Amino acid sequence: MAEEGPIMTSGVSINNCLVNASCVAQNDSIYVFGGFHLFTDEVFDDLYILQHNVWRKVEYMKGLRPCKRCDHSATSWAQDRIVIFGGLDSNDVFLNDLHVLNLSTMTWTQPPMSGPIPTGRGKHSAIIEDGKLYVYGGWCASDTISNHLNILDLETFVWQAPVAVKPRHSHFSFLFRDALFVYGGISESLEPAAELLVLPLGAPAEGMPNQASFAQQEASNNQNQTELVIHSSQSPGTLGQRFAQICGNVLVLLIVPSLCYRQSTLDPENALVRPSCGLWTLDLADCARLAWTQHAADTLPDTLASGEWHYFTMAKHCPTLYVLGINPGVSGTTREPVHHFGQNQQQEGGAVATGVSNLSPTNGLLPNDDAYLAAVLKLDLEFSTRGVVHAPVENRLVQDMGLLFDAVNPSNMGPTVENAARDAGMKTVSHDVEIQSQSGDSTSVFAHRLVLLTTWSHYAAIERSGMFETRSGGVIIVTLPERYETVRQLVKYFYTDALDRNLSVETLSALLVLSNMYNLASLKRLATSDLYARLDASNATLVHVSALKSLSTSLAQTALKYMMTHFGAVVKSEGFRDLLKDDPQALDAFWKSVPLQSRVVAHGPHSKRREASFRREAHLALQDVTDTGG
C-alpha cells in the first residue's frame, strides 16, 4: 500500500515562517496559536483553525485573549476547551499565566489561581488527566531548566506543592497506570535525552515498569523517579525533531528531519546533515520485553525526508497523527542537496543540533510566506502498513469481566481465580451458554448469555433464528468449527475487548479470519497488531494467507514482502509446507499475490553459482509440495 502523500492546505495566509507556536488536535480540527516569525522575531497572538485542509483565522473571540507568546503549551481539555500555559512574551519574559479557550463559545477566560504558582517557563510539557494539569520542567529565566513537576486542580485552580524531578525541556509527557512518563527533550547537560523517565504518582500499579523488569536496561532513581535507558536493536536515535504521544498502551514516536544539523567533528566541510526519520513504538504494557519497534512503510521515510516538518499533533489515545510543514511542491520553495548518513550511521556523538535558525534567505532554503504550515500529512496508524494499533487501556471493569470469564470455565479454575472472583464480589458465576468446538477438542467454553447478546451480533442472530440446542437447566449450546483455544480466546474477547498475551500465531491467525467473518473491527486490530510483531520465516505464509482471507490488505502485503525477502528460509520452513498441504487454495492465493516482476537474487561472493543453486532448491521445494497434493 502506497503511503498517502501530503495534502496542500488552502484558506487564509498564515503569519510568515511561523515557529514555536502551539498546535493541538481537537474534534477533527487543528488549532494553532501564537508563535514568532523565524527571521524577524515578531511574536504573535493569532489563532488559526485547520478544518478539512482549509485554514481560517479567528478574528472575533470573546474575553481577553492571552498576550503574544511563543514556546507555551496548549492542552486539550474535556473535548471542548484548550488550556494555554506559560511561554515567552514579545520581550522574552517568561510567563506563568493560564488561559482557557472555550471552543463552543470561542471565549477566553483567565481563572484566578492560588497556591505555589510555578515560575515562568517555556518549552515545558503540559497534560490534563482527571481534572488536573501536569506541568513538567521547561526552560526558565537565567538559562536554567526547571526540575519541578507542578500540578493544578482545574476545579479549584489551586496549585499543589511542586515535586522535585529530573530537569528537562522540549520533551513529551503522558500518564500511564498512575505514573507520569517523560520522554526525549533536552537534559540538564544540554544534550538530547533518549531515556524514559517514570514518576509514580500513587500506589504502584500492577504492570508498572520497574528496574527488576528490565535486565537489559540501565536504571537509576532520583526523588522516586526512575530513569530507563532502553537498549534494543531498533531504538531510535536522538537526532532529528521528535514527536511523541500515548495511544492506548503504546508510546508512538515520530522522527522527522525538519531541523538541520551541522557535523562539527566528523564533517570538516560543515555540510548539512539530516537524521533518519520514521515511526517507532514502545509497548508499555509488555514489561517483560520493553523494546522499541521501528515500523516500516514503503514510502513513509521518503515522504518525511522530502519535506520540512515543523508541527505535530495527535490527541492522546487516538490512532491518527498529523504532521504539518513544507511540501517540496510548494511554490516558492527550493531545496539544496542534503547529505544522508543513513539510519544506522547517525553519528550522534559528533552532531550538534543548530535548529532551523541556521537557514537564511541567502542559502536557498527559505520557503515562501506560508510554507511552514502549507502542507499536512495525515497518518492513520491502524489501517496502514505500519501495524501500529490502538489497544484500549485496561481498567477495573475489564479486569472484573476477565475474572468473570475465568470463573465460569473449569479448565482455568483454581484458588487464585476463585479468590479473585470472590474478592470482586462475584457470588453468582454460573453460566447459561456453552460453546462447543467441532475440531475434536473435548472441552467447551462457558459464557453468559447477557454478555454475548450485547457484544456478539452473530450470537444474537442465532437466538433469533432458534438454531441452537438446549440442555437441562436451560443452558444454550452453540457449536463452532474452530479449535478450542481459538474459541476460548474469541469468547474471552467478548468479555474484555482484549487478547491474552503470548497466543500462538495459529490462534491469532484464526482470530483474524473470524474477526472478518463476524465483523469485529476491534478484534481485527488486536490480532493484526500481534501478527505484525510476530512475523518471521516460520509463520509468514500462514499470516499472509490469513490476512488475505480476512481482507487485511496491508498485513498481507507486509507478509508477502517478508516472504520475498526471506524466500529461502520461508520455502524451507515446516509452516510453508504444512500449510500448503493442508490448504490447497493457499498455494493458488500465494502465487496470485506474487508481483509479476519478482525474481530470486543471490548476493555476495560466487553469487551466480549460489543463485542457480538457490533457484534449484526453491523449485524442488515447491515441486515437492505440488506433487504431494498441495
Side-chain angles (χ1 to χ4, degrees), residues 15-19 34-44 70 366 369 372:
N15 293 322
N16 303 345
C17 303
L18 186 68
V19 295
F36 73 95
H37 190 286
L38 178 61
F39 301 109
T40 68
D41 289 338
E42 181 181 359
V43 183
F44 303 102
C70 61
L366 178 63
D369 289 350
Y372 280 20

Side-chain angles (χ1 to χ4, degrees), residues 235-456:
S235 294
T238 56
L239 291 185
Q241 187 157 253
R242 293 175 288 175
F243 303 114
Q245 181 57 286
I246 185 69
C247 184
N249 295 326
V250 175
L251 174 61
V252 178
L253 172 66
L254 186 75
I255 300 181
V256 300
S258 61
L259 297 182
C260 294
Y261 290 79
R262 294 193 180 276
Q263 190 71 4
S264 59
T265 59
L266 299 180
D267 186 1
E269 296 182 359
N270 226 14
L272 288 173
V273 299
R274 291 179 190 269
S276 61
C277 54
L279 189 70
W280 285 260
T281 58
L282 185 67
D283 189 349
L284 298 171
D286 194 353
C287 296
R289 51 179 299 274
L290 193 67
W292 285 102
T293 299
Q294 183 175 10
H295 295 266
D298 291 339
T299 60
L300 176 59
D302 293 336
T303 301
L304 295 175
S306 64
E308 295 281 356
W309 305 103
H310 296 273
Y311 293 94
F312 163 98
T313 182
M314 174 180 173
K316 63 182 179 182
H317 305 313
C318 175
T320 302
L321 64 85
Y322 300 88
V323 195
L324 299 97
I326 306 170
N327 185 44
V330 176
S331 175
T333 304
T334 60
R335 286 287 177 272
E336 289 183 346
V338 180
H339 179 70
H340 288 264
F341 269 87
Q343 292 186 352
N344 296 322
Q345 300 176 354
Q346 296 178 12
Q347 309 293 342
E348 295 173 3
V352 179
T354 58
V356 292
S357 58
N358 283 322
L359 304 181
S360 66
T362 60
N363 66 6
L365 293 176
L366 178 63
N368 67 339
D369 289 350
D370 301 337
Y372 280 20
L373 289 165
V376 57
L377 177 62
K378 178 182 178 181
L379 302 180
D380 192 331
L381 303 182
E382 290 186 335
F383 305 102
S384 68
T385 57
R386 287 169 286 275
V388 183
V389 180
H390 170 220
V393 179
E394 295 182 1
N395 53 39
R396 181 59 185 269
L397 177 61
V398 169
Q399 295 173 359
D400 288 349
M401 292 297 289
L403 290 173
L404 179 62
F405 173 84
D406 289 336
V408 298
N409 286 276
S411 61
N412 297 293
M413 284 294 288
T416 301
V417 174
E418 291 177 344
N419 295 337
R422 183 174 61 252
D423 294 342
M426 299 177 187
K427 298 180 180 179
T428 302
V429 293
S430 58
H431 65 278
D432 47 14
V433 178
E434 179 179 341
I435 303 178
Q436 299 177 343
S437 170
Q438 285 183 332
S439 64
D441 300 306
S442 59
T443 307
S444 296
V445 180
F446 303 104
H448 298 86
R449 176 174 174 268
L450 181 60
V451 173
L452 297 184
L453 282 174
T454 56
T455 58
W456 191 14

Side-chain angles (χ1 to χ4, degrees), residues 513-593:
V513 176
L514 290 177
S515 71
N516 186 69
M517 181 184 304
Y518 298 131
N519 193 27
L520 303 171
S522 178
L523 177 61
K524 190 172 188 178
R525 291 194 293 267
L526 293 169
T528 299
S529 178
D530 284 352
L531 288 172
Y532 268 111
R534 303 277 293 279
L535 190 64
D536 61 29
S538 66
N539 60 43
T541 309
L542 174 60
V543 174
H544 174 66
V545 173
S546 300
L548 289 176
K549 291 180 179 180
S550 63
L551 304 181
S552 302
T553 306
S554 298
L555 178 61
Q557 291 181 346
T558 300
L560 179 62
K561 183 177 180 180
Y562 187 95
M563 295 171 70
M564 295 293 98
T565 306
H566 306 85
F567 190 74
V570 170
V571 299
K572 288 179 175 293
S573 67
E574 293 183 3
F576 181 84
R577 294 170 179 264
D578 293 344
L579 181 67
L580 297 185
K581 290 177 182 178
D582 297 338
D583 189 351
Q585 297 180 350
L587 180 61
D588 181 62
F590 170 69
W591 289 129
K592 288 182 178 179
S593 301

